[in-house]
Amino acid sequence: MHPVLLVPWQTDFMPVLADMVADTDNPGSLTVLFPHNRPRRHLKGLLAAHPGMKKPAFMPEMTSIADFVSGMHRRLSPTPPVKANQLDLVEMLHNIVADLRGRKGSLLSRLPELDREAFLPWGMLLARLMDDLLRQDLEPQDLEYMEGEVSAYAAGLLEQLRAIHNEYLARLDARGWTTPGLSARFALAHLEEVTDGLKDRTVLAAGFYALSGTEDRLFRHLWEHGILNPVLHSDPALAEGGRAHWATAEHTSWLTRWGVRPEIPLGLDTAPRTPDIRFCEGYDRHSQLAGLSEDMRAVHERDTLDRTAVVLPDEGALLPVLHMLPNVDPELEPNIS
């Protein structure tokens, strides 16, 4: 088994990850897994400019966990599945719920049938729930007697959650469709084949925090077979035996389940540093952006912005924030999340 590596959270994670990749004899034999696809762009740029990267050389495979398991599903399945469109899933769930209304005595049978337009928001929530259950590797249970706790229609759906889930899986299979959660479940059902397909590669699982049920089982199997190397970005106290910060609860749970203590790569600074945290308050988004703009200008006047993180409460603020950023070198831009 590879050690579980920990990069102290006061150290910039991506340059350390780039150093790890550049130090390997054959970067092309690596697969770097991220929770999502955005970090891949940053790692590519760092490797292209890295002085220790041998050139010419093949880049490592860099991918998200969702794309990784869906690629495994395509390669190992006798018939390559088709990724289902969200609206197609909603239409399928609308038909499933309509069929289940025929059960006498159920709450759904006593409620008006919703047309497609009225069912759309329910269908999107239901499709998300179905995929979350698959990603967590959980079998749903019917939740009865929910009247008064949730809306009447939600109570009717929860009362038949198991039947909806079973019929959902059956109809996906009949159509040859898949979803990210279903691909993750497929990978768990074919762990030996997944292991055989990766036996000549090393997998770095970089930047993960709270693992889903399927991710935990998949990662642990590959780690125990000497294929996967987790790289955490967390409190160094987890590796030094000290009292870890409360924000590392998921990392602590992960390490406890696996029965392992992480190791800090040599040469990394573990001295604690306290960040300067500011909250931009305002009456509305415009006044918040005005406050953020003033703070950014003040930081830019005395220092660079590459050690600044802008944490947004919702995705809708992203484009306005990008529009008002100071003009700086792209390599010195802040991290916006």
Side-chain angles (χ1 to χ4, degrees), residues 125-143:
L125 289 172
L126 202 53
R128 193 180 309 152
L129 175 60
M130 295 295 104
D131 216 51
D132 281 344
L133 289 167
L134 291 168
R135 288 182 61 251
Q136 295 299 339
D137 195 28
L138 295 174
E139 292 294 333
Q141 302 295 320
D142 292 336
L143 301 179

Side-chain angles (χ1 to χ4, degrees), residues 216-296:
D216 185 61
R217 285 184 57 192
L218 176 63
F219 284 6
R220 183 164 188 172
H221 179 85
L222 295 178
W223 175 66
E224 289 176 343
H225 283 75
I227 293 173
L228 183 129
N229 190 348
V231 186
L232 311 182
H233 195 206
S234 196
D235 188 348
L238 290 172
E240 296 170 340
R243 184 176 179 180
H245 192 276
W246 59 265
T248 65
E250 290 291 344
H251 278 160
T252 302
S253 177
W254 175 355
L255 296 168
T256 301
R257 285 194 309 272
W258 288 21
V260 64
R261 175 180 285 187
E263 300 177 7
I264 298 175
L266 293 176
L268 294 186
D269 180 21
T270 62
R273 290 197 297 269
T274 302
D276 177 19
I277 301 176
R278 303 186 184 189
F279 292 92
C280 296
E281 297 181 287
Y283 297 105
D284 54 19
R285 180 167 292 174
H286 296 289
S287 55
Q288 290 174 1
L289 288 169
L292 175 61
S293 179
E294 290 299 322
D295 284 348
M296 298 275 279

Side-chain angles (χ1 to χ4, degrees), residues 73-95:
H73 194 175
R74 285 193 302 271
R75 286 194 291 273
L76 297 177
S77 179
T79 304
V82 176
K83 185 177 180 180
N85 180 280
Q86 186 179 43
L87 291 180
D88 290 333
L89 292 176
V90 171
E91 172 66 14
M92 187 175 72
L93 285 165
H94 180 257
N95 294 333

Side-chain angles (χ1 to χ4, degrees), residues 51-71:
M53 188 75 175
K54 299 174 184 176
K55 298 172 184 177
F58 286 106
M59 282 280 199
E61 178 189 12
M62 294 169 270
T63 185
S64 68
I65 181 62
D67 290 343
F68 177 74
V69 295
S70 64

